[in-house]
Amino acid sequence: MKLELIGHDEKYAVEQSLLTLFPDERPVYGPVTDADESAARITMGEDAGSVCVTTELRCGGKTCTDCCRCPLEGTDYEKEGQRRHALGLSFFRAARQVLGTSPAWGSLTGVRPSKVAVSLLREGKSPAAVLAELEDTYFVTPRRARLALEAAETGLRVQRELKPNDISLYVGIPFCPTRCAYCSFVAQSVEKSFALVEPYLAALFDEIGQAGATIRSLGLSVKSFYMGGGTPTTLSAEQMDRLLTRLEQSFDLSSLAESTIEAGRPDTIDPEKLSVLRAHGVTRVSVNPQTMEDHVLAAIGRRHSADDIRRAMREVMDAGFPHVNMDLIAGLPADTPAGFRRSLDEVIAMGADNITVHTLSLKKGSRLTLEGSRIPSADEVAQMLDYADPALRKHGFEPYYLYRQKYMSGSFENVGWTKPGGEGLYNIYIMEELHSILSLGAGGSTKMVGGGLIRRAFNAKYPKEYIDLAGKRAANLAAFADFYQKEGDTP
Ligand code: SF4
């Protein structure tokens, strides 16, 4: 879509709105002309106490205009937020006229739709007032407003229990048995990169040793540990045992409230590995079937069947972990609302106390987009999610964190559901940005939170680079230490 910005340079906010409301469009900047079939001219002006945004939008043969005026008050930072709010609202209202429908999340864009609810609760608003504001000011549907409120309430409760020196630790294992068609992670098929696994572990062990020393010297306490990927259980039982032993030797884990390991693919799970995880005190594993439909598993490039998932889940449940999560994805290629319902019903019956329902997000470069597989429509995805919410509530699950991604089917959401008391703390910490996350391994993204600031440092993305770039690993740890020396004592 051709975009022309007049009187401002809020490219990021405009693109967020564009990608949320028109996921198939990509921004191109320049003066809008009569020849442009898909275009938006967004003009911003201010007077003493207010900002006025006008959006003229043309798409699908329709042209619509919206003018939005909002008060400007408070600090410069608050005024910046008010300008963006006016911009988002104006773009949304023009888009709603062009599209003829109102998206589920209304004018809310961005990754964390519960953020507004958190701010309103912090201002002392009642839950009923928060719901009313989400629905009336941001045009969020009642069901989504309730999800945002519930996630915000859980986030605030968890935040109250944190100490200033608590952090989380993440370790990435970027290998999988095969690469799924929709994958957007840094995951390499172990068939292709088997020779890299041991050199990767050697580099990781080195980083773990240095990170443990850094954390001790800063007086920080590891509150939660999460191993993701890739699929960490692609490692053999012996490799996993060595890795967990190295972590225990390098960090003081006596204050750990939870330890999670992703065991996403059933073809990586066996009783020997599960007993290694149990012996090292892992409290939560995540088995991620995504679907229980064999033809959908084939369509997404998983080389295993639904029966393999059933076998793996029996072994996981027999192993007696305190918490088990299972992931499903609404909107997978070749799936249908009826197929998704069958998958969810079966996953609920398997006994996991956490179920995460994702909506398919196809980033550029995912193989599916290139091959043009049949993807369920936004309407079909809506039917899947409309089934999931009441079905999970009926079985005693509550939503406890949620987030959105770019390029999601229908611009919906991913929601983590839990039985009472089974919340995955790491998921809340990372989504609500409640404290620092030190990430080790390829693709690791360290987030430093403190003193009202958030800073990030990224490890090398791919295993080979990660192995080769010892200097980059050391620089990230130094940046982490530097941040804590300057900011960490004022969270
Ligand atoms: S299991 Fe997950 S990380 Fe691995 S290839 Fe599939 S989507 Fe990617």
Side-chain angles (χ1 to χ4, degrees):
M1 181 179 283
K2 173 80 77 71
L3 299 172
E4 182 178 1
L5 313 186
I6 298 176
H8 66 102
D9 192 25
E10 294 285 355
K11 279 190 182 168
Y12 181 74
V14 172
E15 287 180 20
Q16 290 271 88
S17 294
L18 176 72
L19 294 176
T20 307
L21 294 158
F22 299 92
D24 296 332
E25 297 278 356
R26 296 293 174 267
V28 181
Y29 289 91
V32 172
T33 67
D34 289 346
D36 294 316
E37 289 176 7
S38 169
R41 182 183 291 125
I42 303 124
T43 308
M44 186 183 284
E46 285 179 29
D47 54 29
S50 63
V51 56
C52 179
V53 179
T54 303
T55 302
E56 300 160 75
L57 186 61
R58 192 184 312 143
C59 191
K62 278 193 190 169
T63 302
C64 295
T65 301
D66 178 85
C67 298
C68 176
R69 180 174 286 278
C70 292
L72 275 180
E73 51 203 10
T75 63
D76 286 351
Y77 180 74
E78 285 165 335
K79 285 179 185 164
E80 226 172 87
Q82 289 152 7
R83 285 186 197 100
R84 289 193 185 131
H85 172 61
L87 194 154
L89 208 51
S90 174
F91 193 96
F92 163 76
R93 293 197 307 215
R96 194 171 53 161
Q97 295 173 57
V98 164
L99 295 168
T101 56
S102 189
W105 286 100
S107 66
L108 289 186
T109 58
V111 174
R112 296 177 186 81
S114 57
K115 224 171 162 181
V116 174
V118 168
S119 305
L120 295 171
L121 288 170
R122 280 204 182 115
E123 284 169 21
K125 298 226 161 110
S126 69
V130 172
L131 289 177
E133 186 148 347
L134 286 170
E135 292 172 32
D136 300 341
T137 306
Y138 296 91
F139 302 94
V140 177
T141 61
R143 173 177 298 162
R144 263 69 190 195
R146 185 177 173 198
L147 282 177
L149 173 66
E150 289 169 312
E153 287 177 323
T154 307
L156 288 172
R157 175 171 54 75
V158 166
Q159 185 176 26
R160 285 193 286 273
E161 291 156 10
L162 277 174
K163 295 200 293 293
N165 66 336
D166 284 338
I167 63 157
S168 288
L169 179 65
Y170 175 90
V171 167
I173 302 296
F175 302 103
C176 286
T178 58
R179 192 171 163 86
C180 303
Y182 60 88
C183 184
S184 59
F185 294 98
V186 183
Q188 299 205 341
S189 142
V190 81
E191 286 168 348
K192 287 190 189 150
S193 50
F194 183 73
L196 283 180
V197 176
E198 276 300 334
Y200 179 80
L201 286 178
L204 182 60
F205 283 21
D206 177 55
E207 191 183 24
I208 288 170
Q210 293 187 32
T214 303
I215 295 306
R216 274 196 308 279
S217 72
L218 294 170
L220 299 174
S221 169
V222 182
K223 176 88 174 171
S224 82
F225 169 68
Y226 194 103
M227 193 189 294
T231 304
T233 42
T234 306
L235 299 180
S236 68
E238 184 276 328
Q239 287 167 330
M240 182 61 84
D241 187 30
R242 263 193 286 142
L243 173 54
L244 292 172
T245 303
R246 175 74 177 165
L247 283 158
E248 287 155 5
Q249 288 167 346
S250 304
F251 290 91
D252 174 3
L253 299 177
S254 56
S255 303
L256 209 56
E258 70 172 21
S259 167
T260 301
I261 295 202
E262 286 191 4
R265 304 256 302 237
D267 42 350
T268 65
I269 297 174
D270 62 43
E272 190 190 0
K273 283 184 209 175
L274 293 172
S275 79
V276 167
L277 303 188
R278 285 293 280 144
H280 284 278
V282 170
T283 56
R284 174 183 301 264
V285 291
S286 186
V287 180
N288 307 328
Q290 319 303 14
T291 174
M292 294 302 290
E293 300 279 290
D294 278 324
H295 70 285
V296 181
L297 287 169
I300 61 174
R302 295 259 181 149
R303 285 201 225 137
H304 65 76
S305 65
D307 270 345
D308 293 325
I309 299 163
R310 294 178 187 110
R311 185 265 314 150
M313 271 305 288
R314 278 195 299 276
E315 291 171 2
V316 166
M317 297 309 283
D318 286 350
F321 292 94
H323 304 288
V324 177
N325 174 71
M326 294 183 83
D327 277 7
L328 286 179
I329 299 180
L332 286 173
D335 207 358
T336 60
F340 179 82
R341 284 200 295 275
R342 282 192 295 274
S343 294
L344 182 67
D345 290 346
E346 184 166 359
V347 162
I348 290 172
M350 283 179 182
D353 69 340
N354 273 234
I355 295 177
T356 309
V357 179
H358 294 263
T359 303
L360 184 67
S361 160
L362 280 181
K363 293 186 186 157
K364 276 180 256 170
S366 291
R367 195 146 46 89
L368 285 176
T369 35
L370 304 176
E371 290 178 357
S373 308
R374 187 204 163 266
I375 310 285
S377 66
D379 190 46
E380 288 174 299
V381 176
Q383 290 176 46
M384 297 174 187
L385 300 178
D386 286 349
Y387 178 76
D389 187 308
L392 285 160
R393 287 182 194 274
K394 194 176 107 194
H395 286 88
F397 289 85
E398 302 161 349
Y400 77 98
Y401 80 100
L402 81 147
Y403 65 103
R404 297 167 81 198
Q405 290 163 279
K406 282 183 192 161
Y407 318 119
M408 287 183 109
S409 306
S411 291
F412 294 117
E413 67 282 321
N414 302 321
V415 183
W417 296 82
T418 181
K419 294 267 178 81
E423 294 90 353
L425 294 173
Y426 178 87
N427 296 325
I428 301 172
Y429 298 150
I430 194 163
M431 274 309 132
E432 301 293 333
E433 300 182 318
L434 296 184
H435 69 191
S436 295
I437 312 249
L438 177 62
S439 296
L440 311 178
S445 155
T446 287
K447 193 184 280 185
M448 295 158 261
V449 181
L453 297 173
I454 296 181
R455 295 275 181 270
R456 290 179 172 80
F458 302 96
N459 259 355
K461 210 167 170 192
Y462 296 101
K464 179 79 177 70
E465 283 176 273
Y466 172 80
I467 294 164
D468 293 343
L469 295 176
K472 175 76 183 136
R473 304 195 295 266
N476 283 355
L477 277 175
F480 188 86
D482 191 46
F483 178 86
Y484 264 90
Q485 274 144 9
K486 287 185 186 148
E487 309 289 349
D489 52 347
T490 52

